[in-house]
Amino acid sequence: MQTSLSLSIPSSSSIVARSNHAMEFTSVSTASKPLNLRFCGLRREVLSFTSDSRRVRLPSHGVPARVIAALSGNGSGAKSFDYDLVIIGAGVGGHGAALHAVEKGLKTAIIEGDVMGGTCVNRGCVPSKALLAVSGRMRELQNEHHLKSFGIQVAAADYDRQAVADHANNLASKIRNNLTNSLKALGVDILTGFGTILGPQKVKYGKDNVVTAKDIIIATGSVPFVPKGVEVDGKTVITSDHALKLESVPDWIAIVGSGYIGLEFSDVYTALGSEVTFIEALDQLMPGFDPEISKLAQRVLINPRKIDYYTGVFATKITPAKDGKPVTIELTDAKTKEPKDTLEVDAALIATGRAPYTQGLGLENINVVTQRGFVPVDERMQVIDANGKLVPHLYCIGDANGKMMLAHAASAQGISVVEQVTGRDHILNHLSIPAACFTHPEISMVGLTEPQAREKAQKEGFEISIAKTSFKANTKALAENEGEGLAKETKSLDSSVVRDYIWERPDNGEILGVHIFGLHAADLIHEASNAIAMGTPIQDIKFAVHAHPTLSEVLDELYKAAKIGHLTGIPKVPTFEVLQPQDPTIGLLGSGGAFVAHLGSKPFSACPLPPVHGSRHPTHQS
């Protein structure tokens, strides 16, 4: 299904009122090619409109040369270098950086020594979601009570293992081809071979091919981490790489680790008929999640299913099945280090996290020493050498730097780096990056957990307020008979307000974290993550209107439940002010709280946003 988004304006200049302020729209002449502007979080060509529909096109004379280069293909490159930018690694991070680099008019090459798409597309996010889609359907069809409540009767559900595996493989192949074709269409040079840094601004790929670049980005990703004492044979003792091929569905499988990877695979295996045993080194399951969300998730995702678990133990030795003998797992107490038990299972999945893939990069040639395999970087992703100095023109993004091991975080870091190398200072707020676990139901989160928020509040001298709401009162969730779930929000109360005027007037309302467990939680979290990214206080976002009946009303109720002091009405919109951007094609968030996209030198309003309050929320650039 194709989707589109358009912005139509009258043929003559007109005034559009916002509160008691106004903005003028000026007619713009047409041009032959659209500009892919990045505003309101969109990357579609939302301005690719024709004059017949009275919609906006960019005049070519108002677009900087580097943007016109991006529209016509890869840039020309710096005179003294083969490329403006070379990216080592063609995963999601490298791909996102390459797309943005071409958009900025940079001559770009991407080096890949394995397959296009990296871990996410081939051995991670993409094929796992295909398997989880199957597990979701199976759960629906197997839940006779749930179906009866709708008046639906079905025969016993079954599945074809090979067809399920083919679905995951075909999806990965399709996305991989789409990714490759998108790079080729933009003129990005794809260089095949393992990339090695020979020295400043110089990279070797393949056997003896050498290229130079003004700037280099390392985006080599990660591989499954396998602890010592674990023997992986790829058949009965496997990592997520092997599990995604679904070559078998064991009757009993032990999953070592109960984080995102382990939880998602437990969802798949139990839906397909396996019994699961979790082995977790820490004292509780799902240790990386907010504690309250973890408890609720355990009640829904673990306890009712064919899952048992050991906590506070290490799997110190795992031996694959051989000669008719099962997989053996020796468990050791995590605190006393004393032997505790031995398990015999049909298979074991090692889901103990991931390790950076940075060996062989030639980092020693530029005096860079990794830290536990991760490439050290600063807040702008610039690589730091062994002496603590920044390495000029060298950046590292994604799993290889260890800041946040998520595919979309890697892409965001790559885009941020491209902003840096094209002259626009940009620092990515990692606390605004959401995460999700695609179980049934889903778990999502952004920002701090409650313990982290309390620790931050104690150190910085402010109090926090916690709001909670349930899916049980949501009409859409009840219509789906999916009322199980919780949304939780943590926000700050400015210390001076708390001390003197608690509940008497609006405080700064900074959102510190939002955690959701329930139907489509992974989709719902983005409203909260965008609010954190833009510095939108709870006083403003609580007045946002949500369609009824939708699941988004869970967040609406959450915002309204937040204790922010006594409000008598909608906050007054400040005077609108357009800040002068460094790049005339990119808008800035002015003090009036509206996003402005500039066509040449003439601004027009697009996507009004709440005003930014307080020194904690500096004016944002788009």
Side-chain angles (χ1 to χ4, degrees):
M1 180 179 69
Q2 293 183 342
T3 60
S4 63
L5 175 66
S6 64
L7 173 66
S8 299
I9 64 172
S11 57
S12 59
S13 298
S14 60
I15 301 297
V16 178
R18 179 173 184 263
S19 185
N20 58 338
H21 308 285
M23 254 178 261
E24 183 174 354
F25 283 81
T26 306
S27 298
V28 184
S29 61
T30 61
S32 59
K33 289 190 177 182
L35 176 63
N36 181 4
L37 277 184
R38 187 186 306 275
F39 71 89
C40 292
L42 301 176
R43 298 195 58 184
R44 299 293 181 189
E45 292 178 337
V46 294
L47 299 179
S48 57
F49 309 130
T50 63
S51 57
D52 292 340
S53 63
R54 308 311 308 166
R55 293 184 276 184
V56 181
R57 270 190 185 274
L58 289 174
S60 59
H61 59 78
V63 182
R66 73 165 184 257
V67 175
I68 291 182
L71 295 174
S72 60
N74 213 347
S76 58
K79 292 183 179 179
S80 57
F81 299 99
D82 298 318
Y83 294 96
D84 294 313
L85 179 66
V86 165
I87 303 165
I88 304 175
V92 171
H95 178 256
L99 293 186
H100 195 55
V102 173
E103 185 178 308
K104 288 288 190 176
L106 302 183
K107 185 179 182 182
T108 306
I110 195 163
I111 298 173
E112 180 53 63
D114 187 17
V115 289
M116 298 295 291
T119 294
C120 175
V121 172
N122 299 286
R123 301 174 297 277
C125 325
V126 172
S128 68
K129 299 311 162 288
L131 297 183
L132 284 160
V134 173
S135 73
R137 299 300 190 279
M138 286 296 295
R139 291 193 185 282
E140 290 177 6
L141 295 172
Q142 291 168 346
N143 193 335
E144 184 178 349
H145 175 73
H146 191 233
L147 292 174
K148 267 190 175 182
S149 68
F150 291 113
I152 298 174
Q153 296 180 355
V154 297
D158 201 359
Y159 67 92
D160 180 334
R161 182 200 58 78
Q162 187 58 53
V164 173
D166 290 344
H167 171 54
N169 182 62
N170 292 339
L171 178 63
S173 178
K174 181 177 181 179
I175 301 300
R176 181 170 59 249
N177 291 336
N178 290 347
L179 183 148
T180 304
N181 292 336
S182 68
L183 292 175
K184 289 181 178 178
L186 289 172
V188 175
D189 289 343
I190 300 174
L191 310 178
T192 303
F194 189 86
T196 302
I197 298 171
L198 296 179
Q201 300 172 293
K202 184 180 294 186
V203 180
K204 182 183 78 171
Y205 69 96
K207 290 185 177 181
D208 51 9
N209 304 298
V210 177
V211 293
T212 60
K214 184 175 182 296
D215 293 287
I216 298 168
I217 296 177
I218 297 169
T220 48
S222 63
V223 295
F225 171 71
V226 179
K228 293 181 180 179
V230 177
E231 182 184 345
V232 174
D233 68 348
K235 298 295 182 181
T236 59
V237 180
I238 58 178
T239 67
S240 57
D241 287 0
H242 308 106
L244 289 168
K245 299 176 183 178
L246 203 69
E247 293 181 346
S248 66
V249 179
D251 292 334
W252 184 10
I253 183 168
I255 299 180
V256 184
S258 62
Y260 296 89
I261 299 171
L263 272 181
E264 289 186 351
F265 275 107
S266 76
D267 196 288
V268 172
Y269 281 120
T270 54
L272 299 182
S274 299
E275 294 183 21
V276 170
T277 296
F278 272 118
I279 299 172
E280 172 58 54
L282 298 180
D283 290 334
Q284 66 178 53
L285 294 176
M286 298 171 274
F289 298 85
D290 181 86
E292 188 170 2
I293 295 292
S294 294
K295 290 178 182 178
L296 179 57
Q298 182 172 333
R299 182 166 65 83
V300 176
L301 301 177
I302 306 293
N303 297 346
R305 300 178 180 177
K306 294 184 293 183
I307 299 175
D308 63 358
Y309 54 88
Y310 292 82
T311 57
V313 296
F314 291 122
T316 48
K317 185 176 182 181
I318 301 181
T319 305
K322 189 182 299 182
D323 301 327
K325 297 180 180 179
V327 174
T328 58
I329 305 174
E330 297 180 12
L331 302 180
T332 300
D333 189 284
K335 294 178 180 178
T336 66
K337 304 300 186 290
E338 295 293 326
K340 189 168 184 178
D341 206 346
T342 300
L343 296 180
E344 292 185 346
V345 295
D346 299 310
L349 167 63
I350 312 305
T352 48
R354 300 187 64 82
Y357 185 54
T358 54
Q359 292 183 349
L361 275 175
L363 296 174
E364 65 279 1
N365 297 329
I366 47 174
N367 192 33
V368 172
V369 179
T370 61
Q371 300 171 358
R372 294 182 296 111
F374 294 105
V375 177
V377 297
D378 71 352
E379 60 185 357
R380 291 174 174 81
M381 309 303 130
Q382 191 166 358
V383 174
I384 301 172
D385 69 14
N387 299 319
K389 297 181 180 180
L390 295 177
V391 180
H393 306 289
L394 182 63
Y395 302 84
C396 180
I397 64 173
D399 289 6
N401 69 32
K403 280 187 172 290
M404 199 172 197
M405 300 179 78
L406 297 169
H408 50 281
S411 181
Q413 289 173 1
I415 292 169
S416 180
V417 168
V418 171
E419 289 292 293
Q420 297 290 330
V421 302
T422 53
R424 293 173 61 101
D425 190 34
H426 186 276
I427 297 176
L428 179 65
N429 177 13
H430 285 80
L431 286 178
S432 71
I433 298 176
C437 186
F438 295 86
T439 48
H440 297 90
E442 296 172 340
I443 308 170
S444 64
M445 65 218 71
V446 64
L448 305 176
T449 64
E450 182 180 339
Q452 290 170 341
R454 291 193 181 280
E455 182 181 357
K456 177 182 175 69
Q458 186 176 10
K459 286 183 179 179
E460 299 183 13
F462 62 87
E463 294 186 15
I464 64 171
S465 172
I466 297 173
K468 302 175 187 177
T469 189
S470 171
F471 280 65
K472 291 180 180 178
N474 181 268
T475 302
K476 186 66 161 55
L478 292 176
E480 300 275 354
N481 277 335
E482 294 283 358
E484 193 74 68
L486 173 73
K488 177 180 179 180
E489 174 189 61
T490 308
K491 68 176 190 63
S492 70
L493 303 173
D494 186 271
S495 57
S496 62
V497 175
V498 169
R499 184 177 62 249
D500 297 326
Y501 305 102
I502 189 167
W503 312 134
E504 294 299 322
R505 65 180 186 183
D507 50 60
N508 81 334
E510 178 185 5
I511 300 173
L512 299 177
V514 177
H515 300 257
I516 306 173
F517 172 61
L519 188 65
H520 293 294
D523 300 310
L524 294 174
I525 196 65
H526 297 95
E527 180 178 327
S529 67
N530 288 338
I532 293 176
M534 295 176 181
T536 307
I538 200 71
Q539 297 98 309
D540 293 338
I541 200 171
K542 72 175 294 182
F543 292 104
V545 180
H546 298 73
H548 175 76
T550 62
L551 293 172
S552 69
E553 290 176 293
V554 171
L555 282 170
D556 187 35
E557 291 299 321
L558 185 66
Y559 301 144
K560 287 177 168 57
K563 296 179 181 180
I564 57 173
H566 180 67
L567 292 178
T568 57
I570 299 176
K572 183 178 179 181
V573 178
T575 302
F576 179 79
E577 176 186 354
V578 179
L579 303 183
Q580 292 298 320
Q582 298 173 19
D583 184 337
T585 66
I586 303 297
L588 299 180
L589 179 62
S591 65
F595 184 92
V596 180
H598 288 260
L599 305 182
S601 60
K602 298 176 181 179
F604 74 92
S605 172
C607 304
L609 297 174
V612 176
H613 298 290
S615 60
R616 296 191 186 193
H617 311 293
T619 298
H620 285 6
Q621 297 183 8
S622 171

